[in-house]
Amino acid sequence: MKYINSSVTGFKGMKIPYTIHGQTDCAKDLVIFFPGSNYTVNSPIFHFLGEIIFKQSVHILEVNFPYKDEFYDDLSQEDLYKAVVTDSKTVIDKVLESHSYENYIFIGKSIGTIAMSSELNRNIFKLAKGVWLTPLINRTEILNVISETSNKGLCILGDKDKIYSEKRWGINREESAYYNETDTKCKSQTRR
């Protein structure tokens, strides 16, 4: 069994904890959890995904962003963006110093999708798969990666989410095959 609970020094010297675990010491696949600021790796989606994934012969890397710490309260949006990018890269680089994997899957929620959008631009992750949970599509960088990446992935975003925007997401209800006259809710949608 593999279990490492450690931390790295991240943006502006903050301690960024992470956990890596799996049923075997060696695995060829790494699943990386990038939680949201109000949605930790202990929250239901990550908890239950973790239980399912743990049963496979993979390692799970949980990046435990400490963004509820008072240190982050006074950061600008741009500095918070830099913190997420810096912290996730620092954790991943530390893990990859001593572990080698063939396949990668990213699962990110909200602010964690900032990390995903940055990491998917690295050559090592050109074949990584991604699961985008309520991605921050109000950020052009994230929307561009989701829209333009060649990586396989799944994106889940509800139309009641405060970040959701039909215009930003490129949905035209009048022209969309996913809507009908009596149902204003999206039936099903696949982004390419």
Side-chain angles (χ1 to χ4, degrees):
M1 176 160 216
K2 171 84 137 185
Y3 185 83
I4 298 170
N5 193 12
S6 191
S7 65
V8 297
T9 302
F11 185 76
K12 294 191 176 187
M14 286 300 291
K15 179 180 170 183
I16 308 302
Y18 69 90
T19 304
I20 184 166
H21 55 94
Q23 285 194 355
T24 63
D25 285 338
C26 297
K28 65 178 188 169
D29 302 326
L30 178 65
V31 178
I32 304 172
F33 288 172
F34 298 111
S37 63
N38 291 319
Y39 204 90
T40 70
V41 293
N42 297 317
S43 298
I45 290 174
F46 288 110
H47 172 79
F48 291 113
L49 281 172
E51 281 188 358
I52 293 167
I53 293 167
F54 186 79
K55 294 176 184 174
Q56 311 303 312
S57 295
V58 303
H59 286 167
I60 299 170
L61 169 59
E62 299 172 344
V63 182
N64 299 303
F65 298 127
Y67 298 138
K68 287 308 218 177
D69 189 286
E70 289 178 5
F71 168 81
Y72 298 96
D73 291 346
D74 295 328
L75 290 183
S76 68
Q77 287 295 314
E78 287 311 306
D79 277 348
L80 183 58
Y81 181 88
K82 288 176 191 174
V84 174
V85 169
T86 301
D87 296 344
S88 58
K89 183 180 185 314
T90 304
V91 168
I92 290 170
D93 287 350
K94 180 67 176 174
V95 168
L96 294 182
E97 282 177 7
S98 58
H99 300 82
S100 179
Y101 299 97
E102 295 175 22
N103 303 301
Y104 301 92
I105 299 173
F106 296 156
I107 303 174
K109 170 110 172 68
S110 190
I111 201 170
T113 62
I114 292 172
M116 286 179 63
S117 67
S118 176
E119 291 300 308
L120 285 173
N121 286 317
R122 295 172 61 181
N123 282 338
I124 191 171
F125 301 124
K126 65 183 177 186
L127 297 176
K129 296 177 177 100
V131 178
W132 305 80
L133 305 170
T134 60
L136 300 181
I137 63 169
N138 59 330
R139 296 205 55 107
T140 301
E141 311 89 340
I142 294 174
L143 186 60
N144 287 346
V145 171
I146 293 170
S147 300
E148 299 169 6
T149 187
S150 60
N151 298 75
K152 292 181 179 182
L154 171 68
C155 182
I156 301 171
L157 177 65
D159 62 0
K160 301 298 184 223
D161 191 285
K162 65 183 177 182
I163 298 298
Y164 180 78
S165 163
E166 287 180 3
K167 182 178 179 183
R168 187 100 171 118
W169 198 237
I171 296 173
N172 182 335
R173 287 181 189 250
E174 289 77 35
E175 297 176 9
S176 178
Y178 303 109
Y179 292 90
N180 68 31
E181 296 168 8
T182 59
D183 185 6
T184 59
K185 296 241 186 252
C186 184
K187 293 179 183 175
S188 127
Q189 182 170 356
T190 303
R191 293 283 293 175
R192 295 203 194 286

